Amino acid sequence: MAFAVPKPPPPVYRKPPSPPGLPIDENIFVLVIGAILLGIYIIYRHQLKTKAPI
């Protein structure tokens, strides 16, 4: 004779709560300034490559 063990209940997946008081856009100004500087750098570098020598 064999006895089966009852099936365990399915695990409950819950998203952990976010800590209170954390702003979503804490460093938005740093990211905007970085994006502008990176865009200027890429445009300047592209213009140097496309200039034809005289």
Side-chain angles (χ1 to χ4, degrees), residues 10-52:
V12 177
Y13 295 107
R14 283 190 237 152
K15 186 177 173 184
S18 62
L22 289 178
I24 295 174
D25 54 353
E26 184 175 327
N27 295 322
I28 193 74
F29 294 115
V30 175
L31 291 174
V32 169
I33 290 171
I36 290 171
L37 291 175
L38 181 64
I40 291 171
Y41 171 74
I42 290 174
I43 290 171
Y44 177 73
R45 204 169 115 190
H46 178 71
Q47 286 178 351
L48 286 179
K49 284 184 183 178
T50 56
K51 284 187 180 178

